[in-house]
PDB file of all heavy atoms in Angstrom:
ATOM      1  N   ALA A 306       1.107  -3.602 -53.985  1.00 91.00           N
ATOM      2  CA  ALA A 306       0.625  -2.402 -53.220  1.00 91.00           C
ATOM      3  C   ALA A 306      -0.125  -1.490 -54.022  1.00 91.00           C
ATOM      4  O   ALA A 306      -1.159  -1.084 -53.722  1.00 91.00           O
ATOM      5  CB  ALA A 306       1.770  -1.788 -52.456  1.00 91.00           C
ATOM      6  N   LEU A 307       0.409  -1.175 -55.185  1.00 94.00           N
ATOM      7  CA  LEU A 307      -0.213  -0.163 -56.112  1.00 94.00           C
ATOM      8  C   LEU A 307      -1.446  -0.772 -56.706  1.00 94.00           C
ATOM      9  O   LEU A 307      -2.500  -0.046 -56.893  1.00 94.00           O
ATOM     10  CB  LEU A 307       0.787   0.291 -57.213  1.00 94.00           C
ATOM     11  CG  LEU A 307       1.921   1.140 -56.771  1.00 94.00           C
ATOM     12  CD1 LEU A 307       3.052   1.245 -57.690  1.00 94.00           C
ATOM     13  CD2 LEU A 307       1.394   2.544 -56.437  1.00 94.00           C
ATOM     14  N   CYS A 308      -1.492  -2.003 -56.891  1.00 95.00           N
ATOM     15  CA  CYS A 308      -2.813  -2.643 -57.441  1.00 95.00           C
ATOM     16  C   CYS A 308      -3.854  -2.654 -56.398  1.00 95.00           C
ATOM     17  O   CYS A 308      -5.002  -2.331 -56.738  1.00 95.00           O
ATOM     18  CB  CYS A 308      -2.464  -4.106 -57.861  1.00 95.00           C
ATOM     19  SG  CYS A 308      -1.533  -4.322 -59.432  1.00 95.00           S
ATOM     20  N   SER A 309      -3.467  -2.778 -55.017  1.00 93.00           N
ATOM     21  CA  SER A 309      -4.410  -2.762 -54.093  1.00 93.00           C
ATOM     22  C   SER A 309      -5.011  -1.431 -53.839  1.00 93.00           C
ATOM     23  O   SER A 309      -6.249  -1.243 -53.660  1.00 93.00           O
ATOM     24  CB  SER A 309      -3.774  -3.205 -52.769  1.00 93.00           C
ATOM     25  OG  SER A 309      -3.490  -4.666 -52.729  1.00 93.00           O
ATOM     26  N   GLU A 310      -4.149  -0.339 -54.008  1.00 92.00           N
ATOM     27  CA  GLU A 310      -4.592   1.014 -53.942  1.00 92.00           C
ATOM     28  C   GLU A 310      -5.508   1.344 -55.075  1.00 92.00           C
ATOM     29  O   GLU A 310      -6.569   1.934 -54.764  1.00 92.00           O
ATOM     30  CB  GLU A 310      -3.361   1.897 -53.899  1.00 92.00           C
ATOM     31  CG  GLU A 310      -3.759   3.448 -53.989  1.00 92.00           C
ATOM     32  CD  GLU A 310      -2.478   4.191 -54.223  1.00 92.00           C
ATOM     33  OE1 GLU A 310      -1.669   4.013 -55.129  1.00 92.00           O
ATOM     34  OE2 GLU A 310      -2.302   5.258 -53.492  1.00 92.00           O
ATOM     35  N   PHE A 311      -5.137   0.940 -56.285  1.00 94.00           N
ATOM     36  CA  PHE A 311      -6.001   1.093 -57.433  1.00 94.00           C
ATOM     37  C   PHE A 311      -7.458   0.534 -57.328  1.00 94.00           C
ATOM     38  O   PHE A 311      -8.470   1.100 -57.559  1.00 94.00           O
ATOM     39  CB  PHE A 311      -5.337   0.477 -58.711  1.00 94.00           C
ATOM     40  CG  PHE A 311      -6.047   0.751 -59.961  1.00 94.00           C
ATOM     41  CD1 PHE A 311      -5.788   1.923 -60.602  1.00 94.00           C
ATOM     42  CD2 PHE A 311      -6.784  -0.313 -60.494  1.00 94.00           C
ATOM     43  CE1 PHE A 311      -6.459   2.215 -61.929  1.00 94.00           C
ATOM     44  CE2 PHE A 311      -7.457  -0.047 -61.767  1.00 94.00           C
ATOM     45  CZ  PHE A 311      -7.322   1.113 -62.475  1.00 94.00           C
ATOM     46  N   LEU A 312      -7.398  -0.770 -56.743  1.00 94.00           N
ATOM     47  CA  LEU A 312      -8.761  -1.585 -56.683  1.00 94.00           C
ATOM     48  C   LEU A 312      -9.628  -0.940 -55.544  1.00 94.00           C
ATOM     49  O   LEU A 312     -10.769  -0.725 -55.739  1.00 94.00           O
ATOM     50  CB  LEU A 312      -8.500  -2.939 -56.391  1.00 94.00           C
ATOM     51  CG  LEU A 312      -7.771  -3.789 -57.586  1.00 94.00           C
ATOM     52  CD1 LEU A 312      -7.429  -5.169 -57.097  1.00 94.00           C
ATOM     53  CD2 LEU A 312      -8.684  -3.810 -58.772  1.00 94.00           C
ATOM     54  N   SER A 313      -8.952  -0.689 -54.409  1.00 90.00           N
ATOM     55  CA  SER A 313      -9.693  -0.200 -53.239  1.00 90.00           C
ATOM     56  C   SER A 313     -10.277   1.212 -53.531  1.00 90.00           C
ATOM     57  O   SER A 313     -11.350   1.611 -53.193  1.00 90.00           O
ATOM     58  CB  SER A 313      -8.921  -0.221 -52.003  1.00 90.00           C
ATOM     59  OG  SER A 313      -7.819   0.599 -52.081  1.00 90.00           O
ATOM     60  N   GLY A 314      -9.405   2.112 -53.980  1.00 88.00           N
ATOM     61  CA  GLY A 314      -9.817   3.527 -54.276  1.00 88.00           C
ATOM     62  C   GLY A 314     -10.783   3.668 -55.345  1.00 88.00           C
ATOM     63  O   GLY A 314     -11.695   4.599 -55.277  1.00 88.00           O
ATOM     64  N   GLY A 315     -10.844   2.752 -56.298  1.00 87.00           N
ATOM     65  CA  GLY A 315     -11.882   2.714 -57.411  1.00 87.00           C
ATOM     66  C   GLY A 315     -13.259   2.146 -56.968  1.00 87.00           C
ATOM     67  O   GLY A 315     -14.100   2.265 -57.840  1.00 87.00           O
ATOM     68  N   THR A 316     -13.256   1.441 -55.928  1.00 89.00           N
ATOM     69  CA  THR A 316     -14.408   0.633 -55.589  1.00 89.00           C
ATOM     70  C   THR A 316     -15.181   1.232 -54.351  1.00 89.00           C
ATOM     71  O   THR A 316     -16.363   1.420 -54.514  1.00 89.00           O
ATOM     72  CB  THR A 316     -14.011  -0.836 -55.239  1.00 89.00           C
ATOM     73  OG1 THR A 316     -13.383  -1.368 -56.458  1.00 89.00           O
ATOM     74  CG2 THR A 316     -15.185  -1.618 -54.815  1.00 89.00           C
ATOM     75  N   ASP A 317     -14.537   1.417 -53.216  1.00 87.00           N
ATOM     76  CA  ASP A 317     -15.249   1.741 -51.977  1.00 87.00           C
ATOM     77  C   ASP A 317     -15.914   3.125 -52.038  1.00 87.00           C
ATOM     78  O   ASP A 317     -17.088   3.195 -51.756  1.00 87.00           O
ATOM     79  CB  ASP A 317     -14.241   1.683 -50.755  1.00 87.00           C
ATOM     80  CG  ASP A 317     -13.896   0.162 -50.533  1.00 87.00           C
ATOM     81  OD1 ASP A 317     -14.886  -0.499 -50.095  1.00 87.00           O
ATOM     82  OD2 ASP A 317     -12.827  -0.113 -50.656  1.00 87.00           O
TER      83      ASP A 317
END
Side-chain angles (χ1 to χ4, degrees):
L307 289 163
C308 288
S309 291
E310 177 186 49
F311 183 83
L312 295 174
S313 60
T316 300
D317 286 293

